[in-house]
Amino acid sequence: MKESAILQIGDQRIELPVIHGSEGGKSIDISGLLAKTGLTSYDPALANTAICKSAITYIDGDKGILRYRGIAVEEFTAQPTPNFVEVAWLLIFGHLPTFSELDHFRDQLTTHELLHEDVRDVYQHIPADAPPMAILSAALNHLACVHKNYLNVDDPESFLEVTASIISQVRTIAAFSFRRSKGLPHMYPDPRLRYCANFLHMMFSSPYQQYEIRPEVEDALNLLFILHADHEQNCSTSTVRTVGSAKANLFSSCAAGVSALWGPLHGGANVKVVEMLERIYEGGMTPQQCINNAKDKDNPFRLFGFGHRVYRNFDPRAKVLREACDRVLPNIDRQDPLLDIARELESLALNDDYFVERNLYPNVDFYSGILLRAIGIPTNMFTVCFAIGRLPGWIAQWKEQNEDPGSRIIRPRQVYVGNTQTGYVPITNREV
Ligand code: CMC
C-alpha cells in the first residue's frame, strides 16, 4: 500500500505521497504543494530537503555509514587500496570497471593530461601568491574556452573525453599553481606514471631531478582522493547540480563546485584545522583554551574539523584517516607533533558535554591535513587536493541529473520579508 502524509491547512486537507529510498529512507513529496495550496515550504539551508533522487552515494549519519554505489567506503580503504581511477569510474558510470573499461579510461586520462598552452600562459601572469583555489576555479572555467567541442556532450564517447580531460587536467592545473607560487618551472605530466604518482611528479620533480615517488606516499594520496570522491548533496555538489540544472557545461559546473568547496565551513576546513593545531603547537593557545573558545557563543571560533550536517556519529572517513596517520607517518619517517595535539583535542572534545550533547565528532577534515603534510603537500594546497578527489563525485552527480528526464532548473522560492510597496523618492527630496 502506498504511504502518504496528510497536511491540514485551515479547511483544506491534502494528501502528500511518501517516497521510499532503497535503504529505507523516507521523504514527503511536496512537489505539488504550491500548485495545490498556494503555499511554499520554508526550510532554511535546505536542512530537511531532499533535492533529488540519487543512486550514487549513501550516507547514514546516525550509524556513520558511507557507501559509493552500495560499496562501503571502508572496502576501498582496506589494504591493498583500490585505485582512485577505478573508484572514479564506479561513481561516474555506476559499476566497477572491467579491465578493458579501466584501460580505456586510463588511456583517455593520459591522452588528455596536457594543459592547453594558452591556459598555462594566461596564468603565468597572475601574482605568485594568488590562492590556488582561485586559480583552480578560474582555470577550470577557462578550459571551456579551449575545448569548445565539449560544451555540449550528448554522446557517450564525448562525455568520456570531457570527463577524462577534467579529471586529468585538474591535477595539471593544481601542480602548475603550486609551482607558479614557488617560482619553479612548470613540470609536464609523465604519461608513464599512474594518476597519483603523476601528480606528485608534477608537484615535486624538477627539470634536472626526478622526484622519487615512495609507494607509501602514493598510496596515502590515493587513499585521500578515494575518501573525498563523493559525499552526496553537500554544499559544493549541490552547487554543481544547481549550475548544471541550467544546462551549463561540465567545466563551468565543476568550477562553481571549486568555489563552494573553498569556504572554511566546507573543504577549506582542512586548512583551518592545521592552522589551529599550529597555533596550539606554537603556544598561541592550549588545547583546553581551544575547546573553550569553540564552546563560547560570544566567540565566532569553531573547532574546525568537528561537526557535520549529516553525521551525528563518527564520520567514517575521519576514522580511516586517523588510522592512516598512525600507519603512514612512522613508515615515511614523518612524525608530526600536530598529530599528538589533534589526538588530545579529539579526546577533550569527545569527553566534553558541549560536544557530546550536540553529537559533534571529528569529520574528514580533522586528520586529512596531517596526512597531506606528511605527503609534503603545503597547507595552501590542501583544499585543492580535496577538489581533485571530489571531481569524480561532481561529474557523477552532474551526469545523473543531466540524464534524468524529470530534472528541471533548480529555482528555490523565498519568504519575502522586505518593504511592502513604497514610492520612489527623487534624491533632492530625500532627508539627510
Ligand atoms: N565547533 C563548535 N561548535 C559547533 C561546531 C564546531 N566545529 N560545529 C557545530 N557546532 C555547534 C553549533 O554552534 C550549534 O550549537 P547550538 O545548537 O548551541 O547553536 C550546533 O553545534 C549545531 O551546529 P550547526 O552549525 O547548526 O550545524 P550545521 O549542520 O549547520 O553545520 C558544520 C555543520 C560542518 C558547518 C559545522 O559543524 C562546522 O562549522 N564545523 C566546523 C567546520 C568544519 O569542520 N567543516 C568541515 C565539514 S566536513 C567536510 C565537508 O563536507 O566540507
PDB file of all heavy atoms in Angstrom, residues 31-58:
ATOM      1  N   SER A  31       6.294  18.231  -4.054  1.00  0.00           N
ATOM      2  CA  SER A  31       6.447  18.935  -5.339  1.00  0.00           C
ATOM      3  C   SER A  31       5.126  19.535  -5.834  1.00  0.00           C
ATOM      4  O   SER A  31       5.137  20.479  -6.611  1.00  0.00           O
ATOM      5  CB  SER A  31       7.068  18.022  -6.396  1.00  0.00           C
ATOM      6  OG  SER A  31       6.339  16.832  -6.500  1.00  0.00           O
ATOM      7  N   GLY A  32       3.977  18.989  -5.353  1.00  0.00           N
ATOM      8  CA  GLY A  32       2.688  19.563  -5.795  1.00  0.00           C
ATOM      9  C   GLY A  32       2.125  20.568  -4.803  1.00  0.00           C
ATOM     10  O   GLY A  32       1.001  21.065  -4.976  1.00  0.00           O
ATOM     11  N   LEU A  33       2.877  20.883  -3.749  1.00  0.00           N
ATOM     12  CA  LEU A  33       2.340  21.717  -2.652  1.00  0.00           C
ATOM     13  C   LEU A  33       1.888  23.102  -3.113  1.00  0.00           C
ATOM     14  O   LEU A  33       0.773  23.544  -2.813  1.00  0.00           O
ATOM     15  CB  LEU A  33       3.421  21.854  -1.570  1.00  0.00           C
ATOM     16  CG  LEU A  33       3.016  22.595  -0.303  1.00  0.00           C
ATOM     17  CD1 LEU A  33       2.031  21.759   0.511  1.00  0.00           C
ATOM     18  CD2 LEU A  33       4.236  22.905   0.562  1.00  0.00           C
ATOM     19  N   LEU A  34       2.742  23.783  -3.849  1.00  0.00           N
ATOM     20  CA  LEU A  34       2.437  25.163  -4.268  1.00  0.00           C
ATOM     21  C   LEU A  34       1.205  25.186  -5.181  1.00  0.00           C
ATOM     22  O   LEU A  34       0.294  26.003  -5.002  1.00  0.00           O
ATOM     23  CB  LEU A  34       3.663  25.752  -4.980  1.00  0.00           C
ATOM     24  CG  LEU A  34       3.551  27.199  -5.446  1.00  0.00           C
ATOM     25  CD1 LEU A  34       3.326  28.144  -4.270  1.00  0.00           C
ATOM     26  CD2 LEU A  34       4.820  27.618  -6.194  1.00  0.00           C
ATOM     27  N   ALA A  35       1.185  24.252  -6.142  1.00  0.00           N
ATOM     28  CA  ALA A  35       0.066  24.221  -7.088  1.00  0.00           C
ATOM     29  C   ALA A  35      -1.248  23.920  -6.360  1.00  0.00           C
ATOM     30  O   ALA A  35      -2.285  24.511  -6.658  1.00  0.00           O
ATOM     31  CB  ALA A  35       0.339  23.179  -8.168  1.00  0.00           C
ATOM     32  N   LYS A  36      -1.196  23.028  -5.375  1.00  0.00           N
ATOM     33  CA  LYS A  36      -2.443  22.618  -4.707  1.00  0.00           C
ATOM     34  C   LYS A  36      -2.900  23.602  -3.638  1.00  0.00           C
ATOM     35  O   LYS A  36      -4.090  23.748  -3.386  1.00  0.00           O
ATOM     36  CB  LYS A  36      -2.238  21.251  -4.038  1.00  0.00           C
ATOM     37  CG  LYS A  36      -2.251  20.086  -5.016  1.00  0.00           C
ATOM     38  CD  LYS A  36      -2.139  18.776  -4.248  1.00  0.00           C
ATOM     39  CE  LYS A  36      -1.937  17.629  -5.213  1.00  0.00           C
ATOM     40  NZ  LYS A  36      -1.334  16.471  -4.581  1.00  0.00           N
ATOM     41  N   THR A  37      -1.935  24.273  -2.971  1.00  0.00           N
ATOM     42  CA  THR A  37      -2.315  25.088  -1.804  1.00  0.00           C
ATOM     43  C   THR A  37      -1.929  26.554  -1.921  1.00  0.00           C
ATOM     44  O   THR A  37      -2.377  27.374  -1.120  1.00  0.00           O
ATOM     45  CB  THR A  37      -1.613  24.552  -0.531  1.00  0.00           C
ATOM     46  OG1 THR A  37      -0.195  24.765  -0.699  1.00  0.00           O
ATOM     47  CG2 THR A  37      -1.879  23.084  -0.306  1.00  0.00           C
ATOM     48  N   GLY A  38      -1.055  26.900  -2.863  1.00  0.00           N
ATOM     49  CA  GLY A  38      -0.543  28.277  -2.941  1.00  0.00           C
ATOM     50  C   GLY A  38       0.527  28.550  -1.890  1.00  0.00           C
ATOM     51  O   GLY A  38       1.003  29.673  -1.759  1.00  0.00           O
ATOM     52  N   LEU A  39       0.905  27.526  -1.136  1.00  0.00           N
ATOM     53  CA  LEU A  39       1.919  27.696  -0.076  1.00  0.00           C
ATOM     54  C   LEU A  39       3.260  27.108  -0.521  1.00  0.00           C
ATOM     55  O   LEU A  39       3.299  26.076  -1.200  1.00  0.00           O
ATOM     56  CB  LEU A  39       1.489  26.956   1.191  1.00  0.00           C
ATOM     57  CG  LEU A  39       0.702  27.726   2.250  1.00  0.00           C
ATOM     58  CD1 LEU A  39      -0.669  28.115   1.725  1.00  0.00           C
ATOM     59  CD2 LEU A  39       0.551  26.864   3.495  1.00  0.00           C
ATOM     60  N   THR A  40       4.338  27.761  -0.080  1.00  0.00           N
ATOM     61  CA  THR A  40       5.659  27.157  -0.279  1.00  0.00           C
ATOM     62  C   THR A  40       6.068  26.491   1.037  1.00  0.00           C
ATOM     63  O   THR A  40       5.392  26.668   2.060  1.00  0.00           O
ATOM     64  CB  THR A  40       6.712  28.238  -0.634  1.00  0.00           C
ATOM     65  OG1 THR A  40       6.700  29.227   0.387  1.00  0.00           O
ATOM     66  CG2 THR A  40       6.423  28.874  -1.983  1.00  0.00           C
ATOM     67  N   SER A  41       7.171  25.761   1.025  1.00  0.00           N
ATOM     68  CA  SER A  41       7.699  25.215   2.286  1.00  0.00           C
ATOM     69  C   SER A  41       8.916  26.053   2.665  1.00  0.00           C
ATOM     70  O   SER A  41       9.627  26.536   1.784  1.00  0.00           O
ATOM     71  CB  SER A  41       8.096  23.749   2.097  1.00  0.00           C
ATOM     72  OG  SER A  41       9.139  23.657   1.166  1.00  0.00           O
ATOM     73  N   TYR A  42       9.136  26.227   3.964  1.00  0.00           N
ATOM     74  CA  TYR A  42      10.258  27.047   4.443  1.00  0.00           C
ATOM     75  C   TYR A  42      11.274  26.112   5.080  1.00  0.00           C
ATOM     76  O   TYR A  42      10.969  25.448   6.074  1.00  0.00           O
ATOM     77  CB  TYR A  42       9.745  28.080   5.445  1.00  0.00           C
ATOM     78  CG  TYR A  42      10.822  28.963   6.045  1.00  0.00           C
ATOM     79  CD1 TYR A  42      11.595  29.790   5.236  1.00  0.00           C
ATOM     80  CD2 TYR A  42      11.066  28.967   7.421  1.00  0.00           C
ATOM     81  CE1 TYR A  42      12.587  30.595   5.781  1.00  0.00           C
ATOM     82  CE2 TYR A  42      12.051  29.775   7.971  1.00  0.00           C
ATOM     83  CZ  TYR A  42      12.806  30.585   7.144  1.00  0.00           C
ATOM     84  OH  TYR A  42      13.791  31.380   7.684  1.00  0.00           O
ATOM     85  N   ASP A  43      12.469  26.046   4.507  1.00  0.00           N
ATOM     86  CA  ASP A  43      13.490  25.130   5.016  1.00  0.00           C
ATOM     87  C   ASP A  43      14.864  25.771   4.841  1.00  0.00           C
ATOM     88  O   ASP A  43      15.589  25.453   3.885  1.00  0.00           O
ATOM     89  CB  ASP A  43      13.406  23.798   4.256  1.00  0.00           C
ATOM     90  CG  ASP A  43      14.388  22.767   4.807  1.00  0.00           C
ATOM     91  OD1 ASP A  43      14.866  22.946   5.949  1.00  0.00           O
ATOM     92  OD2 ASP A  43      14.680  21.782   4.102  1.00  0.00           O
ATOM     93  N   PRO A  44      15.214  26.729   5.747  1.00  0.00           N
ATOM     94  CA  PRO A  44      16.496  27.414   5.587  1.00  0.00           C
ATOM     95  C   PRO A  44      17.655  26.421   5.500  1.00  0.00           C
ATOM     96  O   PRO A  44      17.657  25.408   6.193  1.00  0.00           O
ATOM     97  CB  PRO A  44      16.625  28.262   6.860  1.00  0.00           C
ATOM     98  CG  PRO A  44      15.335  28.184   7.557  1.00  0.00           C
ATOM     99  CD  PRO A  44      14.532  27.049   6.996  1.00  0.00           C
ATOM    100  N   ALA A  45      18.590  26.738   4.634  1.00  0.00           N
ATOM    101  CA  ALA A  45      19.783  25.910   4.407  1.00  0.00           C
ATOM    102  C   ALA A  45      19.426  24.498   3.925  1.00  0.00           C
ATOM    103  O   ALA A  45      20.278  23.608   3.924  1.00  0.00           O
ATOM    104  CB  ALA A  45      20.667  25.847   5.652  1.00  0.00           C
ATOM    105  N   LEU A  46      18.166  24.334   3.492  1.00  0.00           N
ATOM    106  CA  LEU A  46      17.705  23.052   2.922  1.00  0.00           C
ATOM    107  C   LEU A  46      18.043  21.860   3.816  1.00  0.00           C
ATOM    108  O   LEU A  46      18.291  20.759   3.325  1.00  0.00           O
ATOM    109  CB  LEU A  46      18.310  22.841   1.527  1.00  0.00           C
ATOM    110  CG  LEU A  46      18.005  23.925   0.498  1.00  0.00           C
ATOM    111  CD1 LEU A  46      18.694  23.633  -0.825  1.00  0.00           C
ATOM    112  CD2 LEU A  46      16.503  24.053   0.273  1.00  0.00           C
ATOM    113  N   ALA A  47      18.028  22.107   5.126  1.00  0.00           N
ATOM    114  CA  ALA A  47      18.479  21.062   6.048  1.00  0.00           C
ATOM    115  C   ALA A  47      17.556  19.847   6.066  1.00  0.00           C
ATOM    116  O   ALA A  47      17.965  18.764   6.471  1.00  0.00           O
ATOM    117  CB  ALA A  47      18.630  21.645   7.446  1.00  0.00           C
ATOM    118  N   ASN A  48      16.290  20.049   5.658  1.00  0.00           N
ATOM    119  CA  ASN A  48      15.340  18.920   5.669  1.00  0.00           C
ATOM    120  C   ASN A  48      14.892  18.533   4.272  1.00  0.00           C
ATOM    121  O   ASN A  48      13.940  17.780   4.131  1.00  0.00           O
ATOM    122  CB  ASN A  48      14.089  19.310   6.463  1.00  0.00           C
ATOM    123  CG  ASN A  48      14.427  19.696   7.877  1.00  0.00           C
ATOM    124  OD1 ASN A  48      14.577  18.846   8.730  1.00  0.00           O
ATOM    125  ND2 ASN A  48      14.592  20.986   8.113  1.00  0.00           N
ATOM    126  N   THR A  49      15.533  19.097   3.273  1.00  0.00           N
ATOM    127  CA  THR A  49      15.020  18.919   1.918  1.00  0.00           C
ATOM    128  C   THR A  49      15.897  17.997   1.084  1.00  0.00           C
ATOM    129  O   THR A  49      17.102  18.234   0.970  1.00  0.00           O
ATOM    130  CB  THR A  49      14.897  20.298   1.232  1.00  0.00           C
ATOM    131  OG1 THR A  49      13.943  21.052   1.969  1.00  0.00           O
ATOM    132  CG2 THR A  49      14.453  20.184  -0.204  1.00  0.00           C
ATOM    133  N   ALA A  50      15.269  16.966   0.495  1.00  0.00           N
ATOM    134  CA  ALA A  50      15.971  16.129  -0.484  1.00  0.00           C
ATOM    135  C   ALA A  50      15.767  16.802  -1.838  1.00  0.00           C
ATOM    136  O   ALA A  50      14.628  16.953  -2.271  1.00  0.00           O
ATOM    137  CB  ALA A  50      15.376  14.730  -0.481  1.00  0.00           C
ATOM    138  N   ILE A  51      16.843  17.241  -2.490  1.00  0.00           N
ATOM    139  CA  ILE A  51      16.648  17.989  -3.744  1.00  0.00           C
ATOM    140  C   ILE A  51      16.601  17.082  -4.969  1.00  0.00           C
ATOM    141  O   ILE A  51      16.345  17.540  -6.066  1.00  0.00           O
ATOM    142  CB  ILE A  51      17.697  19.111  -3.971  1.00  0.00           C
ATOM    143  CG1 ILE A  51      19.104  18.537  -4.134  1.00  0.00           C
ATOM    144  CG2 ILE A  51      17.651  20.176  -2.906  1.00  0.00           C
ATOM    145  CD1 ILE A  51      20.013  19.472  -4.948  1.00  0.00           C
ATOM    146  N   CYS A  52      16.890  15.807  -4.789  1.00  0.00           N
ATOM    147  CA  CYS A  52      16.874  14.904  -5.947  1.00  0.00           C
ATOM    148  C   CYS A  52      16.780  13.465  -5.453  1.00  0.00           C
ATOM    149  O   CYS A  52      16.923  13.202  -4.260  1.00  0.00           O
ATOM    150  CB  CYS A  52      18.170  15.070  -6.751  1.00  0.00           C
ATOM    151  SG  CYS A  52      19.657  14.688  -5.803  1.00  0.00           S
ATOM    152  N   LYS A  53      16.533  12.561  -6.405  1.00  0.00           N
ATOM    153  CA  LYS A  53      16.725  11.133  -6.115  1.00  0.00           C
ATOM    154  C   LYS A  53      18.087  10.794  -6.695  1.00  0.00           C
ATOM    155  O   LYS A  53      18.391  11.203  -7.823  1.00  0.00           O
ATOM    156  CB  LYS A  53      15.664  10.292  -6.817  1.00  0.00           C
ATOM    157  CG  LYS A  53      14.279  10.442  -6.236  1.00  0.00           C
ATOM    158  CD  LYS A  53      13.324   9.531  -6.995  1.00  0.00           C
ATOM    159  CE  LYS A  53      11.895   9.825  -6.605  1.00  0.00           C
ATOM    160  NZ  LYS A  53      10.934   9.222  -7.541  1.00  0.00           N
ATOM    161  N   SER A  54      18.918  10.101  -5.948  1.00  0.00           N
ATOM    162  CA  SER A  54      20.252   9.795  -6.453  1.00  0.00           C
ATOM    163  C   SER A  54      20.639   8.362  -6.111  1.00  0.00           C
ATOM    164  O   SER A  54      20.292   7.855  -5.038  1.00  0.00           O
ATOM    165  CB  SER A  54      21.280  10.765  -5.858  1.00  0.00           C
ATOM    166  OG  SER A  54      22.571  10.438  -6.334  1.00  0.00           O
ATOM    167  N   ALA A  55      21.346   7.715  -7.020  1.00  0.00           N
ATOM    168  CA  ALA A  55      21.767   6.321  -6.813  1.00  0.00           C
ATOM    169  C   ALA A  55      23.287   6.239  -6.641  1.00  0.00           C
ATOM    170  O   ALA A  55      23.878   5.179  -6.833  1.00  0.00           O
ATOM    171  CB  ALA A  55      21.332   5.485  -8.007  1.00  0.00           C
ATOM    172  N   ILE A  56      23.938   7.379  -6.315  1.00  0.00           N
ATOM    173  CA  ILE A  56      25.403   7.383  -6.317  1.00  0.00           C
ATOM    174  C   ILE A  56      25.981   7.040  -4.932  1.00  0.00           C
ATOM    175  O   ILE A  56      26.723   6.084  -4.779  1.00  0.00           O
ATOM    176  CB  ILE A  56      25.930   8.744  -6.834  1.00  0.00           C
ATOM    177  CG1 ILE A  56      25.394   8.991  -8.248  1.00  0.00           C
ATOM    178  CG2 ILE A  56      27.457   8.780  -6.805  1.00  0.00           C
ATOM    179  CD1 ILE A  56      25.622  10.387  -8.788  1.00  0.00           C
ATOM    180  N   THR A  57      25.649   7.854  -3.945  1.00  0.00           N
ATOM    181  CA  THR A  57      26.274   7.702  -2.626  1.00  0.00           C
ATOM    182  C   THR A  57      25.217   7.605  -1.546  1.00  0.00           C
ATOM    183  O   THR A  57      24.236   8.348  -1.567  1.00  0.00           O
ATOM    184  CB  THR A  57      27.204   8.902  -2.365  1.00  0.00           C
ATOM    185  OG1 THR A  57      28.325   8.782  -3.249  1.00  0.00           O
ATOM    186  CG2 THR A  57      27.734   8.929  -0.947  1.00  0.00           C
ATOM    187  N   TYR A  58      25.433   6.693  -0.620  1.00  0.00           N
ATOM    188  CA  TYR A  58      24.500   6.541   0.503  1.00  0.00           C
ATOM    189  C   TYR A  58      25.221   6.877   1.805  1.00  0.00           C
ATOM    190  O   TYR A  58      26.325   6.400   2.061  1.00  0.00           O
ATOM    191  CB  TYR A  58      23.971   5.099   0.554  1.00  0.00           C
ATOM    192  CG  TYR A  58      23.150   4.820   1.780  1.00  0.00           C
ATOM    193  CD1 TYR A  58      21.900   5.413   1.946  1.00  0.00           C
ATOM    194  CD2 TYR A  58      23.628   3.995   2.797  1.00  0.00           C
ATOM    195  CE1 TYR A  58      21.145   5.177   3.097  1.00  0.00           C
ATOM    196  CE2 TYR A  58      22.877   3.752   3.941  1.00  0.00           C
ATOM    197  CZ  TYR A  58      21.638   4.344   4.085  1.00  0.00           C
ATOM    198  OH  TYR A  58      20.905   4.122   5.213  1.00  0.00           O
TER     199      TYR A  58
END
